Amino acid sequence: MTTHTRYTGLIEHYRDRLPVSDSTRIISLGEGNTPLIELHNIPRLIGKDVKIYVKYEGLNPTGSFKDRGMSMAVTKAVEEGSQAIICASTGNTSAAAAAYAVRAGIRAFVLIPEGKIAQGKLAQTLMYGAEIIQIRGNFDEGMSLVKQVADHAPVTIVNSINPYRLEGQKTAAFEIVDELGEAPDYHCLPVGNAGNITAYWNGYSEYAKETNGIPAVSSKVPVMCGYQAAGAAPFTAGKMIDNPETVATAIRIGHPQSWDLAWNVQKQSKGWFDSFADEKILAAQKMLSAYEGIFCEPASATSLAGAINDIATGKIPEGSTIVCTLTGNGLKDPDTAIQQCKDAHPVSIDASLDAVKKAILDNM
Ligand code: F0G
């Protein structure tokens, strides 16, 4: 006899490790349970004996890892009686906040840097009907305003300074260990506010020890590698920066909110931070699409750019198992993708069999 279990989101799936009770109304869109895809062609291309997996978070309901945290944060906001949520965002948090607010029947206010969020993210946020407040300033300024206004208006902040966000996001680490049977040796992530690297570390650490009577699931934790865009790299600079700039707009952040937490992750996991030029990040994005059939947004490819660099230098040794998180879907930022492929010239032909035949045979 076959039994059917319907996957209904990460809170239900990891309920015994998350702050919910039997009476909690769970706000979910079926987030989590995303594919962990082993790269087949890139390791061969770089000529190294490594196992690289990508955790494709672009397949979450709003197309990014933010859905994990937002499911948890909105569930708790509703449980606490909140009627409205607010966030500052480079685009993905706003899309997720907007969607989960609709699902819950509450309002969402989102502050975004005018002209600096990718088209797909803007389209989503508009469609979900959030109250969009565009500011003539960057993410860091928006974040500072959100923190101030929360003292003056009845709104719950759902940026990653909300601890429930990290609780939801730690489940990605659980899924990886559940699938691989053990933690990877290295885990590579793009870093903006550094909430996600902290959340993964919390998840891996929790799984490596007995928690609330649940035995440990893994016998080790990975080395955590955090990568930034060179123009927005406070962690490699060792200090906050005021005018971050990068094509990877999702991580165009100079004042990370989880600064101390992320340094703690680096020390505890014996990991490191590094940063890469936009060209390197875009090259990694293109490589994933062209060699593996995986389309992620520019910021997400920073994890692979970093991994490839550290594999090449031997900092990540051969024989390692590496997981790179691909934080967001490539469809989020069609403009950058089309710009990347401006030298590809699709042919235009008459709609006839002869012309199609010729177009194929000319290109064989
Ligand atoms: N990748 C993507 C696609 C993101 O959208 C973000 C952050 C990050 C990586 C960095 O994650 O901040 O936890 O270190 N986006 C936020 C937003 C800032 O507003 O959508 P982090």
Side-chain angles (χ1 to χ4, degrees):
M1 198 180 79
T2 3
T3 49
H4 299 279
T5 35
R6 208 165 75 81
Y7 180 83
T8 54
L10 56 86
I11 297 181
E12 283 296 0
H13 195 72
Y14 291 110
R15 166 179 267 288
D16 54 351
R17 293 179 179 273
L18 291 168
V20 287
S21 71
D22 289 347
S23 61
T24 307
R25 178 184 155 216
I26 291 167
I27 312 300
S28 169
L29 289 164
E31 59 295 313
N33 198 21
T34 54
L36 184 67
I37 309 166
E38 185 177 354
L39 300 187
H40 287 158
N41 300 319
I42 291 176
R44 221 180 313 136
L45 203 69
I46 60 179
K48 297 283 186 182
D49 175 24
V50 282
K51 255 192 190 314
I52 310 177
Y53 296 89
V54 293
K55 181 71 170 156
Y56 192 29
E57 291 287 275
L59 287 194
N60 275 298
T62 79
S64 88
F65 73 97
K66 304 286 181 180
D67 294 342
R68 294 181 185 273
M70 209 52 77
S71 175
M72 194 68 245
V74 174
T75 291
K76 293 308 278 188
V78 168
E79 187 169 65
E80 288 159 9
S82 181
Q83 294 294 317
I85 56 173
I86 190 166
C87 65
S89 181
T90 56
N92 282 326
T93 300
S94 58
Y100 284 83
V102 172
R103 187 77 168 164
I106 61 172
R107 315 262 318 267
F109 295 89
V110 307
L111 269 74
I112 53 173
E114 190 173 34
K116 290 289 185 181
I117 83 164
Q119 281 296 311
K121 302 175 189 180
L122 186 58
Q124 291 179 284
T125 310
L126 286 164
M127 286 296 281
Y128 298 132
E131 306 299 330
I132 300 181
I133 304 167
Q134 304 196 69
I135 59 161
R136 290 185 279 278
N138 62 25
F139 169 86
D140 300 311
E141 291 164 298
M143 193 63 240
S144 157
L145 288 166
V146 162
K147 286 200 259 188
Q148 292 171 56
V149 84
D151 293 334
H152 299 276
V155 286
T156 303
I157 300 179
V158 293
N159 281 103
S160 55
I161 55 172
N162 177 328
Y164 296 124
R165 278 277 312 275
L166 302 193
E167 282 292 289
Q169 285 169 217
K170 76 181 180 188
T171 59
F174 295 166
E175 289 176 13
I176 291 165
V177 176
D178 285 342
E179 223 171 296
L180 296 179
E182 183 53 284
D185 300 314
Y186 295 84
H187 192 111
C188 305
L189 285 146
V191 170
N193 272 314
N196 209 27
I197 195 168
T198 306
Y200 269 87
W201 178 247
N202 292 347
Y204 282 124
S205 302
E206 185 175 324
Y207 250 27
K209 57 177 189 280
E210 188 191 310
T211 313
N212 303 332
I214 313 169
V217 181
S218 54
S219 68
K220 63 172 189 196
V221 288
V223 173
M224 302 295 292
C225 309
Y227 303 119
Q228 303 208 283
F235 284 102
T236 45
K239 61 176 174 30
M240 305 288 179
I241 60 163
D242 283 338
N243 293 300
E245 212 39 89
T246 168
V247 69
T249 51
I251 51 172
R252 187 171 166 269
I253 293 170
H255 289 242
Q257 297 298 310
S258 295
W259 179 257
D260 292 336
L261 291 173
W263 281 112
N264 196 37
V265 171
Q266 180 268 320
K267 282 189 204 86
Q268 287 190 16
S269 77
K270 302 187 172 56
W272 58 83
F273 296 108
D274 205 346
S275 56
F276 299 94
D278 282 357
E279 299 73 52
K280 277 256 165 79
I281 294 170
L282 292 177
Q285 184 201 17
K286 188 75 202 296
M287 203 175 187
L288 267 169
S289 301
Y291 291 97
E292 302 283 357
I294 300 168
F295 189 23
C296 68
E297 67 170 288
S300 308
T302 311
S303 59
L304 183 69
I308 289 176
N309 182 74
D310 289 336
I311 292 164
T313 62
K315 201 165 174 182
I316 295 179
E318 292 207 61
S320 298
T321 296
I322 303 144
V323 175
C324 295
T325 300
L326 300 181
T327 44
N329 198 300
L331 295 170
K332 293 265 190 183
D333 189 353
D335 297 325
T336 307
I338 290 170
Q339 187 58 27
Q340 278 240 63
C341 300
K342 62 181 187 307
D343 295 331
H345 295 293
V347 291
S348 293
I349 56 160
D350 291 334
S352 74
L353 179 58
D354 276 352
V356 177
K357 219 164 67 188
K358 183 171 179 334
I360 292 170
L361 295 177
D362 285 355
N363 274 293
M364 290 293 273

